[in-house]
Amino acid sequence: INAEYGLTMKRTPKTNDSSKTPNNKAKAKPTDVEKPKNETKKNLSTILFIVASLATGFSLGYLWNLIPIVFFAFLIQWIVFIPSATFQTERFYDLTGSLTYISLTLLSLYVRIESLYPLSYSFVTPTTRSLVLSFLVLFWAIRLGSFLFIRVLAHGKDSRFDRVKSQPFVFFTYWTVQGLWVFLTAAPVFIVNANQTIQYDLSLQDYLGIFVWFTGFMIEVVSDYQKTVFRSNKRMKRNGFLQASGQSQDIPIMLVKLFCGLVSLSALGLNLGS
């Protein structure tokens, strides 16, 4: 319980008293209420962070032409949320996130949307940097999305959603935050693709970013394999990346996103050495 809810409970000595019935065990169940409260606090803090990040981006002027991307990021989540909430299933959550990465990356790479109403758009010719950046993000999203989807099909469920998929409003928050998460983490890619009229030659910083991406990607692949093996045999000792990090995907995801940041800075003419 302490590991699950972050609570500390006093231990009581075991007795043979017949008064220790299942009713006494039920007294621990009110702690279940703490989980949604903690999740709500986490969601609120995440939303505040996202609003601050968006405000900073718009104030810098980089995100104004990405409003259509933001719109579609939310729209995809909300469309899939409807059947997911109806049937109380989370099986398509991670898959939808990956498909959102893929669709928005392709949209920003080849199409420039001037306005949503009336709909006005034009096709663009991708630059070398945009193609490389988008391809690596697409490759990462396809690999991770297919892995997570196959895993949730094999397990039948995702334990993260056990307490929230029966609560439509909280479940809706999860889907909405995923749309924001996709947009923010892929914002460097969208910014580069939205500024393809400006072309800078590939620099050392770009190659450094690609190297960082390959490092993070390989760590992620190995960590996912190790975690799959570990889950199939609970008695197996955690070794490798699983031993170094309990959340084995944190490090590779940070490296992959760092790659996006380094390459996007080069696309805007900003180098670490300047």
Side-chain angles (χ1 to χ4, degrees):
I1 293 176
N2 182 41
E4 178 69 16
Y5 300 105
L7 303 175
T8 302
M9 299 186 66
K10 294 182 179 179
R11 294 189 177 185
T12 56
K14 294 182 178 181
T15 62
N16 295 326
D17 189 358
S18 60
S19 62
K20 188 175 182 181
T21 62
N23 292 333
N24 289 341
K25 293 182 180 179
K27 292 182 180 179
K29 290 185 178 180
T31 56
D32 292 351
V33 181
E34 299 295 334
K35 185 69 173 182
K37 289 183 179 179
N38 293 336
E39 293 294 345
T40 302
K41 291 180 180 179
K42 291 179 182 178
N43 290 337
L44 289 176
S45 61
T46 302
I47 292 174
L48 289 175
F49 167 76
I50 289 170
V51 170
S53 301
L54 288 174
T56 303
F58 281 118
S59 65
L60 293 175
Y62 291 134
L63 302 182
W64 284 112
N65 53 353
L66 300 183
I67 292 179
I69 299 295
V70 179
F71 172 77
F72 286 113
F74 285 129
L75 182 63
I76 295 172
Q77 310 306 313
W78 293 339
I79 290 175
V80 183
F81 162 76
I82 295 174
S84 298
T86 302
F87 297 101
Q88 294 187 7
T89 178
E90 72 282 11
R91 293 188 177 186
F92 301 99
Y93 183 81
D94 291 318
L95 180 64
T96 303
S98 295
L99 291 177
T100 306
Y101 273 111
I102 295 170
S103 58
L104 295 185
T105 300
L106 291 175
L107 179 66
S108 64
L109 180 63
Y110 291 105
V111 181
R112 183 177 180 85
I113 301 177
E114 282 82 16
S115 66
L116 290 173
Y117 185 80
L119 183 61
S120 177
Y121 63 91
S122 59
F123 293 99
V124 297
T125 302
T127 62
T128 302
R129 179 179 283 104
S130 293
L131 285 172
V132 172
L133 184 62
S134 299
F135 171 78
L136 294 181
V137 172
L138 290 173
F139 190 76
W140 167 80
I142 293 172
R143 205 287 311 179
L144 182 59
S146 58
F147 169 79
L148 295 176
F149 184 58
I150 293 173
R151 187 177 70 178
V152 75
L153 289 180
H155 294 171
K157 68 171 187 175
D158 189 333
S159 59
R160 295 176 299 172
F161 299 90
D162 287 347
R163 292 178 175 84
V164 301
K165 60 185 178 182
S166 59
Q167 306 175 57
F169 178 75
V170 180
F171 199 30
F172 177 78
T173 303
Y174 274 64
W175 287 87
T176 303
V177 169
Q178 177 168 251
L180 289 167
W181 169 258
V182 170
F183 171 74
L184 284 180
T185 55
V189 183
F190 304 146
I191 291 173
V192 171
N193 292 344
N195 292 274
Q196 297 190 68
T197 55
I198 305 174
Q199 174 66 28
Y200 294 95
D201 294 333
L202 293 177
S203 64
L204 179 62
Q205 185 168 300
D206 293 291
Y207 296 111
L208 175 62
I210 295 174
F211 173 77
V212 169
W213 182 90
F214 275 108
T215 302
F217 182 79
M218 293 307 300
I219 293 176
E220 183 178 80
V221 171
V222 175
S223 298
D224 285 338
Y225 171 76
Q226 291 178 343
K227 193 170 185 178
T228 301
V229 174
F230 173 78
R231 284 187 171 183
S232 64
N233 187 354
K234 295 293 185 180
R235 296 181 180 180
M236 184 178 295
K237 183 179 179 181
R238 286 194 174 196
N239 294 317
F241 293 118
L242 286 177
Q243 187 179 22
S245 174
Q247 301 295 330
S248 58
Q249 287 187 349
D250 290 350
I251 295 176
I253 286 178
M254 287 190 292
L255 291 176
V256 169
K257 302 312 174 186
L258 176 61
F259 146 76
C260 295
L262 289 173
V263 178
S264 65
L265 288 176
S266 297
L268 298 175
L270 303 175
N271 295 313
L272 296 178
S274 62

PDB file of all heavy atoms in Angstrom, residues 85-108:
ATOM      1  N   ALA A  85     -14.314   5.726 -23.678  1.00  0.00           N
ATOM      2  CA  ALA A  85     -15.088   5.974 -22.466  1.00  0.00           C
ATOM      3  C   ALA A  85     -16.378   5.162 -22.473  1.00  0.00           C
ATOM      4  O   ALA A  85     -16.835   4.690 -21.424  1.00  0.00           O
ATOM      5  CB  ALA A  85     -15.396   7.459 -22.334  1.00  0.00           C
ATOM      6  N   THR A  86     -16.964   4.996 -23.654  1.00  0.00           N
ATOM      7  CA  THR A  86     -18.210   4.225 -23.751  1.00  0.00           C
ATOM      8  C   THR A  86     -18.006   2.789 -23.325  1.00  0.00           C
ATOM      9  O   THR A  86     -18.817   2.232 -22.570  1.00  0.00           O
ATOM     10  CB  THR A  86     -18.751   4.279 -25.194  1.00  0.00           C
ATOM     11  OG1 THR A  86     -18.963   5.648 -25.578  1.00  0.00           O
ATOM     12  CG2 THR A  86     -20.062   3.516 -25.296  1.00  0.00           C
ATOM     13  N   PHE A  87     -16.918   2.175 -23.776  1.00  0.00           N
ATOM     14  CA  PHE A  87     -16.650   0.767 -23.462  1.00  0.00           C
ATOM     15  C   PHE A  87     -15.655   0.613 -22.308  1.00  0.00           C
ATOM     16  O   PHE A  87     -15.251  -0.512 -21.999  1.00  0.00           O
ATOM     17  CB  PHE A  87     -16.116   0.057 -24.705  1.00  0.00           C
ATOM     18  CG  PHE A  87     -17.093   0.021 -25.841  1.00  0.00           C
ATOM     19  CD1 PHE A  87     -16.987   0.913 -26.904  1.00  0.00           C
ATOM     20  CD2 PHE A  87     -18.134  -0.895 -25.849  1.00  0.00           C
ATOM     21  CE1 PHE A  87     -17.884   0.886 -27.958  1.00  0.00           C
ATOM     22  CE2 PHE A  87     -19.039  -0.926 -26.904  1.00  0.00           C
ATOM     23  CZ  PHE A  87     -18.919  -0.037 -27.955  1.00  0.00           C
ATOM     24  N   GLN A  88     -15.261   1.766 -21.692  1.00  0.00           N
ATOM     25  CA  GLN A  88     -14.342   1.759 -20.555  1.00  0.00           C
ATOM     26  C   GLN A  88     -13.093   0.920 -20.850  1.00  0.00           C
ATOM     27  O   GLN A  88     -12.738  -0.008 -20.136  1.00  0.00           O
ATOM     28  CB  GLN A  88     -15.039   1.249 -19.293  1.00  0.00           C
ATOM     29  CG  GLN A  88     -16.140   2.162 -18.797  1.00  0.00           C
ATOM     30  CD  GLN A  88     -16.706   1.733 -17.459  1.00  0.00           C
ATOM     31  OE1 GLN A  88     -16.201   0.818 -16.812  1.00  0.00           O
ATOM     32  NE2 GLN A  88     -17.766   2.410 -17.008  1.00  0.00           N
ATOM     33  N   THR A  89     -12.433   1.275 -21.932  1.00  0.00           N
ATOM     34  CA  THR A  89     -11.219   0.566 -22.330  1.00  0.00           C
ATOM     35  C   THR A  89     -10.087   1.559 -22.535  1.00  0.00           C
ATOM     36  O   THR A  89     -10.312   2.691 -22.982  1.00  0.00           O
ATOM     37  CB  THR A  89     -11.436  -0.239 -23.620  1.00  0.00           C
ATOM     38  OG1 THR A  89     -10.206  -0.873 -23.989  1.00  0.00           O
ATOM     39  CG2 THR A  89     -11.906   0.653 -24.759  1.00  0.00           C
ATOM     40  N   GLU A  90      -8.881   1.130 -22.166  1.00  0.00           N
ATOM     41  CA  GLU A  90      -7.694   1.960 -22.335  1.00  0.00           C
ATOM     42  C   GLU A  90      -6.735   1.373 -23.364  1.00  0.00           C
ATOM     43  O   GLU A  90      -5.615   1.841 -23.514  1.00  0.00           O
ATOM     44  CB  GLU A  90      -6.963   2.103 -20.990  1.00  0.00           C
ATOM     45  CG  GLU A  90      -6.249   0.856 -20.501  1.00  0.00           C
ATOM     46  CD  GLU A  90      -7.162  -0.180 -19.881  1.00  0.00           C
ATOM     47  OE1 GLU A  90      -8.405  -0.046 -19.992  1.00  0.00           O
ATOM     48  OE2 GLU A  90      -6.649  -1.144 -19.285  1.00  0.00           O
ATOM     49  N   ARG A  91      -7.192   0.371 -24.099  1.00  0.00           N
ATOM     50  CA  ARG A  91      -6.298  -0.353 -24.994  1.00  0.00           C
ATOM     51  C   ARG A  91      -5.738   0.523 -26.111  1.00  0.00           C
ATOM     52  O   ARG A  91      -4.659   0.252 -26.633  1.00  0.00           O
ATOM     53  CB  ARG A  91      -7.028  -1.555 -25.593  1.00  0.00           C
ATOM     54  CG  ARG A  91      -7.373  -2.630 -24.562  1.00  0.00           C
ATOM     55  CD  ARG A  91      -7.911  -3.877 -25.224  1.00  0.00           C
ATOM     56  NE  ARG A  91      -8.168  -4.943 -24.254  1.00  0.00           N
ATOM     57  CZ  ARG A  91      -8.528  -6.176 -24.561  1.00  0.00           C
ATOM     58  NH1 ARG A  91      -8.677  -6.514 -25.839  1.00  0.00           N
ATOM     59  NH2 ARG A  91      -8.733  -7.077 -23.629  1.00  0.00           N
ATOM     60  N   PHE A  92      -6.478   1.543 -26.505  1.00  0.00           N
ATOM     61  CA  PHE A  92      -6.048   2.361 -27.638  1.00  0.00           C
ATOM     62  C   PHE A  92      -5.404   3.672 -27.205  1.00  0.00           C
ATOM     63  O   PHE A  92      -5.147   4.535 -28.046  1.00  0.00           O
ATOM     64  CB  PHE A  92      -7.236   2.646 -28.557  1.00  0.00           C
ATOM     65  CG  PHE A  92      -7.871   1.405 -29.106  1.00  0.00           C
ATOM     66  CD1 PHE A  92      -9.015   0.881 -28.533  1.00  0.00           C
ATOM     67  CD2 PHE A  92      -7.307   0.737 -30.177  1.00  0.00           C
ATOM     68  CE1 PHE A  92      -9.606  -0.279 -29.029  1.00  0.00           C
ATOM     69  CE2 PHE A  92      -7.879  -0.422 -30.684  1.00  0.00           C
ATOM     70  CZ  PHE A  92      -9.033  -0.929 -30.101  1.00  0.00           C
ATOM     71  N   TYR A  93      -5.127   3.818 -25.911  1.00  0.00           N
ATOM     72  CA  TYR A  93      -4.582   5.085 -25.402  1.00  0.00           C
ATOM     73  C   TYR A  93      -3.180   5.345 -25.962  1.00  0.00           C
ATOM     74  O   TYR A  93      -2.940   6.369 -26.614  1.00  0.00           O
ATOM     75  CB  TYR A  93      -4.560   5.056 -23.871  1.00  0.00           C
ATOM     76  CG  TYR A  93      -4.073   6.336 -23.242  1.00  0.00           C
ATOM     77  CD1 TYR A  93      -4.924   7.428 -23.096  1.00  0.00           C
ATOM     78  CD2 TYR A  93      -2.756   6.458 -22.788  1.00  0.00           C
ATOM     79  CE1 TYR A  93      -4.476   8.604 -22.513  1.00  0.00           C
ATOM     80  CE2 TYR A  93      -2.308   7.629 -22.209  1.00  0.00           C
ATOM     81  CZ  TYR A  93      -3.170   8.691 -22.070  1.00  0.00           C
ATOM     82  OH  TYR A  93      -2.727   9.866 -21.492  1.00  0.00           O
ATOM     83  N   ASP A  94      -2.241   4.438 -25.692  1.00  0.00           N
ATOM     84  CA  ASP A  94      -0.866   4.633 -26.171  1.00  0.00           C
ATOM     85  C   ASP A  94      -0.778   4.595 -27.688  1.00  0.00           C
ATOM     86  O   ASP A  94       0.006   5.338 -28.288  1.00  0.00           O
ATOM     87  CB  ASP A  94       0.049   3.567 -25.564  1.00  0.00           C
ATOM     88  CG  ASP A  94       0.241   3.758 -24.066  1.00  0.00           C
ATOM     89  OD1 ASP A  94       0.414   4.910 -23.640  1.00  0.00           O
ATOM     90  OD2 ASP A  94       0.219   2.756 -23.322  1.00  0.00           O
ATOM     91  N   LEU A  95      -1.578   3.741 -28.306  1.00  0.00           N
ATOM     92  CA  LEU A  95      -1.580   3.677 -29.768  1.00  0.00           C
ATOM     93  C   LEU A  95      -2.033   5.003 -30.366  1.00  0.00           C
ATOM     94  O   LEU A  95      -1.466   5.477 -31.358  1.00  0.00           O
ATOM     95  CB  LEU A  95      -2.485   2.543 -30.248  1.00  0.00           C
ATOM     96  CG  LEU A  95      -2.588   2.357 -31.764  1.00  0.00           C
ATOM     97  CD1 LEU A  95      -1.230   1.972 -32.345  1.00  0.00           C
ATOM     98  CD2 LEU A  95      -3.639   1.313 -32.114  1.00  0.00           C
ATOM     99  N   THR A  96      -3.052   5.611 -29.754  1.00  0.00           N
ATOM    100  CA  THR A  96      -3.527   6.907 -30.238  1.00  0.00           C
ATOM    101  C   THR A  96      -2.459   7.976 -30.085  1.00  0.00           C
ATOM    102  O   THR A  96      -2.290   8.836 -30.966  1.00  0.00           O
ATOM    103  CB  THR A  96      -4.793   7.325 -29.461  1.00  0.00           C
ATOM    104  OG1 THR A  96      -5.793   6.310 -29.607  1.00  0.00           O
ATOM    105  CG2 THR A  96      -5.335   8.646 -29.981  1.00  0.00           C
ATOM    106  N   GLY A  97      -1.710   7.924 -28.972  1.00  0.00           N
ATOM    107  CA  GLY A  97      -0.622   8.884 -28.804  1.00  0.00           C
ATOM    108  C   GLY A  97       0.411   8.768 -29.899  1.00  0.00           C
ATOM    109  O   GLY A  97       0.857   9.777 -30.469  1.00  0.00           O
ATOM    110  N   SER A  98       0.791   7.545 -30.239  1.00  0.00           N
ATOM    111  CA  SER A  98       1.771   7.347 -31.301  1.00  0.00           C
ATOM    112  C   SER A  98       1.227   7.774 -32.664  1.00  0.00           C
ATOM    113  O   SER A  98       1.940   8.397 -33.456  1.00  0.00           O
ATOM    114  CB  SER A  98       2.186   5.870 -31.349  1.00  0.00           C
ATOM    115  OG  SER A  98       2.853   5.509 -30.167  1.00  0.00           O
ATOM    116  N   LEU A  99      -0.036   7.444 -32.928  1.00  0.00           N
ATOM    117  CA  LEU A  99      -0.644   7.865 -34.194  1.00  0.00           C
ATOM    118  C   LEU A  99      -0.747   9.383 -34.287  1.00  0.00           C
ATOM    119  O   LEU A  99      -0.659   9.953 -35.376  1.00  0.00           O
ATOM    120  CB  LEU A  99      -2.026   7.228 -34.345  1.00  0.00           C
ATOM    121  CG  LEU A  99      -2.043   5.712 -34.557  1.00  0.00           C
ATOM    122  CD1 LEU A  99      -3.483   5.193 -34.626  1.00  0.00           C
ATOM    123  CD2 LEU A  99      -1.291   5.334 -35.828  1.00  0.00           C
ATOM    124  N   THR A 100      -0.912  10.036 -33.134  1.00  0.00           N
ATOM    125  CA  THR A 100      -0.939  11.499 -33.127  1.00  0.00           C
ATOM    126  C   THR A 100       0.422  12.054 -33.487  1.00  0.00           C
ATOM    127  O   THR A 100       0.542  13.006 -34.278  1.00  0.00           O
ATOM    128  CB  THR A 100      -1.379  12.024 -31.749  1.00  0.00           C
ATOM    129  OG1 THR A 100      -2.625  11.428 -31.384  1.00  0.00           O
ATOM    130  CG2 THR A 100      -1.542  13.536 -31.767  1.00  0.00           C
ATOM    131  N   TYR A 101       1.486  11.488 -32.906  1.00  0.00           N
ATOM    132  CA  TYR A 101       2.847  11.882 -33.298  1.00  0.00           C
ATOM    133  C   TYR A 101       3.035  11.731 -34.809  1.00  0.00           C
ATOM    134  O   TYR A 101       3.544  12.641 -35.483  1.00  0.00           O
ATOM    135  CB  TYR A 101       3.880  11.004 -32.583  1.00  0.00           C
ATOM    136  CG  TYR A 101       4.298  11.471 -31.220  1.00  0.00           C
ATOM    137  CD1 TYR A 101       3.936  10.761 -30.083  1.00  0.00           C
ATOM    138  CD2 TYR A 101       5.092  12.609 -31.060  1.00  0.00           C
ATOM    139  CE1 TYR A 101       4.332  11.166 -28.821  1.00  0.00           C
ATOM    140  CE2 TYR A 101       5.496  13.024 -29.808  1.00  0.00           C
ATOM    141  CZ  TYR A 101       5.121  12.303 -28.687  1.00  0.00           C
ATOM    142  OH  TYR A 101       5.512  12.723 -27.439  1.00  0.00           O
ATOM    143  N   ILE A 102       2.636  10.589 -35.333  1.00  0.00           N
ATOM    144  CA  ILE A 102       2.864  10.293 -36.745  1.00  0.00           C
ATOM    145  C   ILE A 102       2.084  11.242 -37.645  1.00  0.00           C
ATOM    146  O   ILE A 102       2.639  11.834 -38.588  1.00  0.00           O
ATOM    147  CB  ILE A 102       2.480   8.829 -37.030  1.00  0.00           C
ATOM    148  CG1 ILE A 102       3.410   7.878 -36.280  1.00  0.00           C
ATOM    149  CG2 ILE A 102       2.523   8.542 -38.527  1.00  0.00           C
ATOM    150  CD1 ILE A 102       2.966   6.429 -36.301  1.00  0.00           C
ATOM    151  N   SER A 103       0.792  11.395 -37.376  1.00  0.00           N
ATOM    152  CA  SER A 103      -0.053  12.213 -38.247  1.00  0.00           C
ATOM    153  C   SER A 103       0.335  13.685 -38.197  1.00  0.00           C
ATOM    154  O   SER A 103       0.396  14.353 -39.240  1.00  0.00           O
ATOM    155  CB  SER A 103      -1.529  12.040 -37.859  1.00  0.00           C
ATOM    156  OG  SER A 103      -1.733  12.398 -36.504  1.00  0.00           O
ATOM    157  N   LEU A 104       0.633  14.200 -37.015  1.00  0.00           N
ATOM    158  CA  LEU A 104       0.985  15.625 -36.902  1.00  0.00           C
ATOM    159  C   LEU A 104       2.362  15.902 -37.496  1.00  0.00           C
ATOM    160  O   LEU A 104       2.581  16.972 -38.081  1.00  0.00           O
ATOM    161  CB  LEU A 104       0.942  16.069 -35.441  1.00  0.00           C
ATOM    162  CG  LEU A 104      -0.428  16.032 -34.760  1.00  0.00           C
ATOM    163  CD1 LEU A 104      -0.346  16.616 -33.361  1.00  0.00           C
ATOM    164  CD2 LEU A 104      -1.463  16.773 -35.580  1.00  0.00           C
ATOM    165  N   THR A 105       3.280  14.961 -37.362  1.00  0.00           N
ATOM    166  CA  THR A 105       4.599  15.146 -37.967  1.00  0.00           C
ATOM    167  C   THR A 105       4.498  15.185 -39.485  1.00  0.00           C
ATOM    168  O   THR A 105       5.098  16.048 -40.146  1.00  0.00           O
ATOM    169  CB  THR A 105       5.552  14.015 -37.530  1.00  0.00           C
ATOM    170  OG1 THR A 105       5.687  14.033 -36.107  1.00  0.00           O
ATOM    171  CG2 THR A 105       6.921  14.188 -38.165  1.00  0.00           C
ATOM    172  N   LEU A 106       3.732  14.265 -40.071  1.00  0.00           N
ATOM    173  CA  LEU A 106       3.545  14.258 -41.525  1.00  0.00           C
ATOM    174  C   LEU A 106       2.797  15.502 -41.989  1.00  0.00           C
ATOM    175  O   LEU A 106       3.117  16.082 -43.037  1.00  0.00           O
ATOM    176  CB  LEU A 106       2.790  12.997 -41.944  1.00  0.00           C
ATOM    177  CG  LEU A 106       3.546  11.675 -41.797  1.00  0.00           C
ATOM    178  CD1 LEU A 106       2.635  10.499 -42.125  1.00  0.00           C
ATOM    179  CD2 LEU A 106       4.780  11.660 -42.700  1.00  0.00           C
ATOM    180  N   LEU A 107       1.796  15.918 -41.208  1.00  0.00           N
ATOM    181  CA  LEU A 107       1.029  17.108 -41.562  1.00  0.00           C
ATOM    182  C   LEU A 107       1.912  18.349 -41.582  1.00  0.00           C
ATOM    183  O   LEU A 107       1.862  19.148 -42.527  1.00  0.00           O
ATOM    184  CB  LEU A 107      -0.123  17.296 -40.573  1.00  0.00           C
ATOM    185  CG  LEU A 107      -1.022  18.515 -40.790  1.00  0.00           C
ATOM    186  CD1 LEU A 107      -1.792  18.391 -42.103  1.00  0.00           C
ATOM    187  CD2 LEU A 107      -1.995  18.679 -39.616  1.00  0.00           C
ATOM    188  N   SER A 108       2.730  18.510 -40.545  1.00  0.00           N
ATOM    189  CA  SER A 108       3.598  19.685 -40.476  1.00  0.00           C
ATOM    190  C   SER A 108       4.723  19.622 -41.496  1.00  0.00           C
ATOM    191  O   SER A 108       5.251  20.661 -41.906  1.00  0.00           O
ATOM    192  CB  SER A 108       4.194  19.816 -39.067  1.00  0.00           C
ATOM    193  OG  SER A 108       5.028  18.705 -38.770  1.00  0.00           O
TER     194      SER A 108
END
